[in-house]
């Protein structure tokens, strides 16, 4: 008979702050418990537990963020599928308020999809319904919406907002994916931030504590210069040797209506009633 001994795996995980990563040793064992502290004597049981990194600013000061940069690369929020897209089978729309435009002012869309593709939504938690986003790609537009509810029997989920535009509706030719829910965290390079303050990240091959830097943006705009009027502008301001990088964007509670790329998103540098403003040797990314 082979001797069976308790195997304990030592894992170095990333404890992430806004700009740096600190090392922490977590011990993992098949006979561990995720309620344990992660020491050698009291190992945890799963990789998910081992990969926690707590950020108090998120938990206590409403500093939730939707972008994370790892070594200058924008990391991928946990999503399904990991590659390619799912496809919509059929859409049914119920109009609540017609309005005066070509599309309804308020409507609910029932999105019917393949039952296999819908399995992820079927397992949603209350937090997933609040934070997860369905991203649709339909012709030249993309739409980002929260899921209101899910019908397993009909393999359908429901979204709401404006009525679909008749010239570019979501239909059987549209593609979609789901992002930002913990159940989708399963591939290297993906990350997920829980509202409780825990950030989960699966490192890419070769990424270590020593060679990895994280940036989480918290500013929506870098510069806003505004004069009083065209007759009283702000003038003669010069910026030199500055770098502006990785601005924040937070998705509205209701999601985003159809748009081309980021057309409705405000600029990070705004000049209004301004003249003779120069940027010399500045990097804006």
């Amino acid at each position: 008979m082979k001797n069976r001994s308790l195997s304990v795996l030592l894992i170095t995980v990333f404890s992430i702050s806004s700009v740096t990563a600190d090392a922490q040793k977590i011990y993992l064992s098949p006979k561990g418990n995720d309620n344990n502290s992660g020491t050698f004597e009291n190992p945890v049981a799963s990789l998910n537990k081992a990969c926690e990194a707590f950020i108090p600013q998120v938990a206590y000061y409403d500093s939730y963020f939707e972008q994370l940069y790892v070594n200058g690369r924008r990391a991928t929020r946990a999503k399904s599928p990991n590659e390619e897209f799912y496809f919509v089978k059929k859409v049914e729309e119920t109009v609540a308020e017609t309005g005066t435009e070509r599309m309804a002012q308020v409507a609910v869309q029932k999105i019917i999809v393949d039952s296999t593709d819908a399995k992820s939504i079927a397992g949603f938690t209350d937090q997933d319904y609040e934070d997860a986003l369905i991203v649709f790609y339909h012709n030249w537009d993309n739409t980002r919406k929260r899921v209101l509810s899910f019908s397993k029997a009909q393999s359908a989920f429901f979204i709401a907002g404006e009525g679909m535009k008749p010239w570019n509706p979501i239909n059987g030719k549209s593609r979609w994916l789901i992002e930002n829910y913990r159940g989708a965290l399963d591939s290297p390079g993906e990350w997920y931030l829980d509202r409780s303050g825990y950030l989960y990240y699966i490192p890419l091959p070769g990424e270590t504590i020593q060679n990895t830097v994280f940036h989480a943006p918290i500013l929506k705009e870098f510069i806003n210069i505004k004069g009083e009027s065209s007759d009283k502008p702000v003038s003669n301001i010069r910026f030199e040797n500055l770098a502006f990088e990785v601005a924040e964007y937070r998705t509205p509670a209701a999601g985003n209506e159809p748009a081309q790329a980021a057309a409705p998103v405000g600029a990070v540098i705004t000049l209004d009633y301004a003249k003779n403003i120069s940027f010399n040797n500045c990097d804006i990314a």
Side-chain angles (χ1 to χ4, degrees), residues 48-70:
N48 281 342
K49 183 64 178 179
C51 291
E52 291 181 356
F54 180 69
I55 304 176
Q57 293 90 339
V58 172
Y60 307 130
Y61 303 107
D62 191 33
S63 293
Y64 190 83
F65 52 87
E66 298 186 19
Q67 299 84 36
L68 180 68
Y69 292 81
V70 182

Side-chain angles (χ1 to χ4, degrees), residues 59-134:
Y60 307 130
Y61 303 107
D62 191 33
S63 293
Y64 190 83
F65 52 87
E66 298 186 19
Q67 299 84 36
L68 180 68
Y69 292 81
V70 182
N71 290 338
R73 169 189 58 83
R74 183 168 178 171
T76 301
R77 289 213 292 182
K79 67 183 181 73
S80 295
N82 290 322
E83 303 291 340
E84 302 298 333
F85 305 92
Y86 298 132
F87 285 87
V88 173
K89 293 180 69 174
K90 183 181 178 182
V91 179
E92 299 174 1
E93 182 172 73
T94 301
V95 174
E97 182 67 39
T98 56
T100 58
E101 303 296 329
R102 292 176 61 187
M103 66 279 192
Q105 185 173 341
V106 181
V108 174
Q109 291 87 29
K110 176 181 177 181
I111 313 296
I112 302 170
V113 298
D114 185 89
S115 58
T116 301
D117 298 343
K119 286 182 179 179
S120 298
I121 304 177
F124 265 19
T125 65
D126 290 342
Q127 190 66 57
D128 292 334
Y129 278 106
E130 181 179 344
D131 286 333
L133 283 169
I134 303 289

Side-chain angles (χ1 to χ4, degrees), residues 42 176 178 202 255 272:
N42 297 288
W176 65 282
I178 325 170
I202 302 178
D272 195 5

Side-chain angles (χ1 to χ4, degrees), residues 10-211:
L10 171 62
I11 298 178
T12 302
V13 298
F14 293 175
S15 176
I16 300 171
S17 68
S18 60
V19 295
T20 62
D22 301 316
Q24 179 184 7
K25 292 181 178 179
I26 300 293
Y27 291 85
L28 177 69
S29 168
K31 294 186 179 181
N33 188 311
D34 279 350
N35 292 320
N36 288 344
S37 59
T39 63
F40 181 83
E41 295 78 13
N42 297 288
V44 297
S46 70
L47 283 172
N48 281 342
K49 183 64 178 179
C51 291
E52 291 181 356
F54 180 69
I55 304 176
Q57 293 90 339
V58 172
Y60 307 130
Y61 303 107
D62 191 33
S63 293
Y64 190 83
F65 52 87
E66 298 186 19
Q67 299 84 36
L68 180 68
Y69 292 81
V70 182
N71 290 338
R73 169 189 58 83
R74 183 168 178 171
T76 301
R77 289 213 292 182
K79 67 183 181 73
S80 295
N82 290 322
E83 303 291 340
E84 302 298 333
F85 305 92
Y86 298 132
F87 285 87
V88 173
K89 293 180 69 174
K90 183 181 178 182
V91 179
E92 299 174 1
E93 182 172 73
T94 301
V95 174
E97 182 67 39
T98 56
T100 58
E101 303 296 329
R102 292 176 61 187
M103 66 279 192
Q105 185 173 341
V106 181
V108 174
Q109 291 87 29
K110 176 181 177 181
I111 313 296
I112 302 170
V113 298
D114 185 89
S115 58
T116 301
D117 298 343
K119 286 182 179 179
S120 298
I121 304 177
F124 265 19
T125 65
D126 290 342
Q127 190 66 57
D128 292 334
Y129 278 106
E130 181 179 344
D131 286 333
L133 283 169
I134 303 289
V135 184
F136 298 95
Y137 296 89
H138 45 120
N139 293 337
W140 57 87
D141 279 344
N142 66 82
T143 299
R144 305 165 77 238
K145 289 289 183 176
R146 316 284 183 192
V147 178
L148 296 180
S149 63
F150 173 74
S151 171
K152 182 177 180 180
Q154 301 178 76
S155 187
F157 58 88
F158 297 82
I159 60 174
E162 296 178 356
M164 294 191 296
K165 294 178 172 59
W167 58 88
N168 192 13
I170 299 170
N171 55 30
K173 297 180 180 179
S174 303
R175 297 168 292 169
W176 65 282
L177 56 82
I178 325 170
E179 70 173 19
N180 198 39
Y181 69 104
R182 185 171 174 180
L185 186 68
D186 58 6
S187 294
E190 286 189 334
W191 66 282
Y192 170 73
L193 178 62
D194 194 275
R195 294 274 178 181
S196 64
Y198 284 98
L199 174 62
Y200 303 85
Y201 173 72
I202 302 178
L204 290 169
E207 287 182 337
T208 66
I209 289 295
Q210 291 76 19
N211 67 14

Side-chain angles (χ1 to χ4, degrees), residues 258-279:
Q260 297 183 47
V265 179
V268 294
I269 295 180
T270 303
L271 308 178
D272 195 5
Y273 297 128
K275 66 178 184 180
N276 297 330
I277 310 298
S278 63
F279 294 82

